[in-house]
Amino acid sequence: MASTTTGNSGNVEADLKYVSAPASDASDRVGNPIVYPRTLYPELEPFDSGHFKTEDGAHSIYYEQCGNPDGVPAVFLHGGPGAGCDARSRRFFDPEFYRIVILDQRGSGRSNPNAADDLDASLIGNTTPNLVQDIETLRLKLGLERWGCVLGGSWGSTLALAYSQSHPSRCSCIVLRGVFLFGPDEVDYLFSNGGTAGQNPSAWDAYLDFLKDTSDDWERESINPLGAYWNRLTSDDLQLRNAAASAFVGYELSISKTFIDGDLIARYLATPSLLIPFAVMEVHYMINGGFLRRGQLLDGVDSMKKHGHKVAIAHGRGDYVCQPKAAWRLTKALEKVGVPVDLEFVSGAGHSDSEPGLVDAMVRATDRFMEDLK
């Protein structure tokens, strides 16, 4: 295991005690990634940004708009939950064609309250139905008739499906990366039964070692690792809360890419405004079944057919966070009811939206949909 080092952000000292060391990278793919035909669009600045109050008044949500003010509306839904957006989130769309909208979901990023500042307040009304309503509130605030394109990755794919099925008349094309349907087997594989140990044994051991080292009843807690993490993330002991967040997020980041960048993990763990929401919101949603009825997103594909949705899916063949079988299940369900769907399993790609092969696939998808949206 890596020792504790200082993160480059300078915010706090990154706690890497329970983060497994990356696999070897003799070809230096971290520093010299494979070049794919399509990359992100060039950097761009927002033409509008601000905050809006949620319908329940509990949160102030940050949003921004980029690209063409008169273009086809597109919304980017970040993962986590709790990961927040950044400048890269704007760049999966052609800025000359799309009016690009991004938002930081409740409790994360630049939205208020951030879980790192006020944990209890950040959890008020923090459920999938409310996040869906927040997207709808933003659409109405901006005076948009519908989203031409909804793009979501990982948890964002869950939210994109939940939104498109709840408000099917308000979106047309959907791009998903790293599909997660919140099936019990998906949650258990990642956080409860050691499914990831098959390919990432050291990462799984580190995930459990933190709990063992901080437990006074491991026999009981070993049955429910997610619950054990939740107890620590909501503890009155600030040091324990922060250590739990580092161990939890460090585990996920250490299995998220084909070639792991240890410096990137250190920078992330050294930034509380990123680290705490990511850990807290993810466990909050996992222990509550995503605030979705079991099988809801597969059962809801009929509404997508009735409203003429088109779907593109990009999923890394080597995704150890969200298993490829989730993308396959969704594709089969969509095909069964006649929803046009293009599933692309990307060789050599893991889970992260920074994987070059996934960037290539997602940008090609948003480009393809421009023809449908003209």
Side-chain angles (χ1 to χ4, degrees):
M1 294 186 185
S3 59
T4 302
T5 61
T6 301
N8 293 338
S9 72
N11 288 342
V12 297
E13 195 170 343
D15 181 1
L16 299 174
K17 181 179 179 182
Y18 292 97
V19 180
S20 62
S24 65
D25 179 19
S27 62
D28 190 25
R29 288 302 184 196
V30 170
N32 298 285
I34 295 173
V35 177
Y36 279 76
R38 297 309 308 274
T39 58
L40 293 172
Y41 279 95
E43 293 183 7
L44 71 165
E45 294 299 317
F47 64 79
D48 172 48
S49 64
H51 289 79
F52 67 93
K53 272 291 186 183
T54 57
E55 201 173 62
D56 60 5
H59 296 261
S60 178
I61 303 297
Y62 175 83
Y63 75 93
E64 60 186 37
Q65 300 188 79
C66 308
N68 182 353
D70 299 315
V72 174
V75 63
F76 179 96
L77 303 178
H78 67 69
C85 289
D86 59 20
R88 290 184 70 258
S89 307
R90 313 164 183 158
R91 300 171 58 198
F92 291 93
F93 311 89
D94 185 336
E96 294 187 4
F97 181 85
Y98 287 106
R99 178 176 175 177
I100 305 158
V101 179
I102 70 174
L103 69 155
D104 290 336
Q105 295 157 29
R106 295 186 180 211
S108 65
R110 292 149 290 188
S111 291
N112 297 311
N114 183 290
D117 302 320
D118 190 336
L119 177 61
D120 290 340
S122 74
L123 293 171
I124 295 174
N126 209 319
T127 66
T128 302
N130 283 341
L131 297 192
V132 166
Q133 182 56 49
D134 294 345
I135 299 167
E136 188 65 358
T137 299
L138 178 56
R139 182 188 67 79
L140 293 170
K141 171 183 170 57
L142 299 179
L144 306 176
E145 182 178 349
R146 62 196 287 137
W147 303 107
C149 183
V150 178
L151 187 156
S154 192
W155 155 253
S157 75
T158 313
L159 186 56
L161 288 167
Y163 177 81
S164 66
Q165 293 174 10
S166 297
H167 300 279
S169 66
R170 298 306 179 184
C171 53
S172 300
C173 299
I174 300 151
V175 179
L176 306 175
R177 184 266 310 167
V179 172
F180 194 75
L181 301 173
F182 253 100
D185 60 326
E186 296 170 78
V187 177
D188 288 347
Y189 156 85
L190 185 56
F191 295 120
S192 297
N193 66 15
T196 62
Q199 286 76 37
N200 296 278
S202 61
W204 179 253
D205 278 0
Y207 171 81
L208 292 184
D209 283 345
F210 169 75
L211 296 177
K212 293 177 184 177
D213 291 349
T214 54
S215 179
D216 57 9
D217 187 357
W218 178 237
E219 182 178 2
R220 173 181 58 83
E221 289 197 312
S222 66
I223 300 169
N224 182 17
L226 271 173
Y229 266 102
W230 181 248
N231 290 338
R232 289 155 178 75
L233 288 167
T234 56
S235 165
D236 291 334
D237 183 336
L238 177 61
Q239 186 174 357
L240 179 61
R241 291 205 308 266
N242 291 340
S246 292
F248 185 86
V249 174
Y251 159 67
E252 184 162 332
L253 292 180
S254 70
I255 65 172
S256 289
K257 298 186 68 173
T258 304
F259 297 97
I260 302 298
D261 182 352
D263 290 339
L264 179 64
I265 294 177
R267 290 196 296 273
Y268 208 103
L269 300 194
T271 310
S273 62
L274 297 175
L275 171 66
I276 305 303
F278 197 150
V280 169
M281 297 308 163
E282 186 154 0
V283 178
H284 172 60
Y285 276 74
M286 292 297 161
I287 63 176
N288 286 289
F291 300 94
L292 296 164
R293 176 177 52 77
R294 183 167 176 166
Q296 177 177 329
L297 300 180
L298 290 176
D299 293 343
V301 294
D302 256 340
S303 64
M304 301 170 72
K305 165 62 177 175
K306 292 173 184 174
H307 288 83
H309 293 178
K310 295 184 177 181
V311 180
I313 301 173
H315 204 111
R317 177 64 74 183
D319 190 335
Y320 300 131
V321 176
C322 297
Q323 299 174 89
K325 69 179 180 181
W328 187 250
R329 286 172 178 168
L330 178 60
T331 299
K332 293 289 116 180
L334 292 169
E335 289 177 341
K336 185 75 172 178
V337 299
V339 175
V341 55
D342 180 4
L343 169 63
E344 182 173 352
F345 284 126
V346 180
S347 296
H351 179 70
S352 170
D353 70 5
S354 64
E355 293 279 59
L358 290 175
V359 171
D360 171 81
M362 286 188 285
V363 171
R364 282 190 286 105
T366 60
D367 281 358
R368 264 196 324 274
F369 281 146
M370 289 194 295
E371 292 301 314
D372 298 297
L373 296 168
K374 285 180 178 176

